[in-house]
Amino acid sequence: MSHKSVLEVLKERATVQLDNVSQQLATLQHERQQANAQQQLLHHYQQDYQQLLRHESEGGIYGYRRDNYHAFLHTVEHALTAQNAAVEVLDQQQQHLLSDWQASRQKVYALQVLIERRHQRTMRCQARAQQKSNDEFATRRFQGKE
């Protein structure tokens, strides 16, 4: 049974954190795309109904119909304003999570570098010990033949 070093445990935890932040970022990105699609849809409604109002106004329109168009356009404008605010909040959250993701990724990378350096140091020490053992064996063997 091999025991993990503290660095390996820390790297595993940092990797789990990176995975969690990555998942949150992906979910937020999906929400952002949906919010953007809703924003575009509202913008298209606004343009379409403004065009319909202009078209009907050219031929003459009853007052109540014009009032209905204006009321609907006012409602769409409020919805568009609220959607713009929601998209802005999602953008801010996305920037925050992106910073967290970058920091988590950098932490995992740094821990991996430390683990690799420790492994290289261990391998060098083992190679030196092996070389020393070989030298001692060769010396004893050489001295034994004289």
Side-chain angles (χ1 to χ4, degrees):
M1 182 169 125
S2 66
H3 296 296
K4 294 181 182 178
S5 72
V6 172
L7 289 176
E8 289 170 333
V9 171
L10 289 174
K11 182 187 173 222
E12 285 178 6
R13 288 181 182 172
T15 301
V16 168
Q17 182 179 357
L18 177 62
D19 291 344
N20 290 339
V21 172
S22 296
Q23 183 62 40
Q24 290 173 354
L25 193 57
T27 300
L28 190 62
Q29 178 63 27
H30 180 70
E31 290 176 15
R32 172 62 173 84
Q33 288 172 346
Q34 288 179 328
N36 192 43
Q38 183 69 27
Q39 183 183 36
Q40 290 175 356
L41 183 64
L42 287 169
H43 186 68
H44 287 296
Y45 277 151
Q46 185 182 39
Q47 289 178 339
D48 289 347
Y49 276 87
Q50 286 173 344
Q51 186 177 3
L52 281 171
L53 177 60
R54 280 192 299 274
H55 179 70
E56 285 197 24
S57 294
E58 289 173 0
I61 188 172
Y62 289 110
Y64 75 91
R65 285 187 56 90
R66 183 194 47 158
D67 291 344
N68 286 344
Y69 273 111
H70 283 293
F72 182 74
L73 285 170
H74 185 68
T75 301
V76 170
E77 187 176 315
H78 279 288
L80 193 53
T81 300
Q83 193 64 27
N84 289 340
V87 168
E88 187 174 315
V89 167
L90 288 171
D91 284 343
Q92 290 171 358
Q93 289 175 345
Q94 186 176 12
Q95 287 301 318
H96 179 71
L97 271 177
L98 188 58
S99 295
D100 289 350
W101 179 81
Q102 288 171 337
S104 294
R105 189 181 72 175
Q106 186 175 11
K107 184 176 183 178
V108 168
Y109 176 74
L111 288 167
Q112 181 61 39
V113 167
L114 290 174
I115 289 169
E116 288 173 8
R117 285 180 185 167
R118 175 179 271 177
H119 178 70
Q120 290 171 355
R121 204 171 31 242
T122 301
M123 296 303 288
R124 281 193 307 269
C125 287
Q126 288 175 352
R128 283 186 201 126
Q130 183 65 38
Q131 183 63 44
K132 183 178 178 181
S133 174
N134 290 344
D135 290 347
E136 289 173 0
F137 177 74
T139 301
R140 277 185 268 137
R141 191 168 183 207
F142 178 72
Q143 289 175 349
K145 287 188 176 183
E146 289 183 7

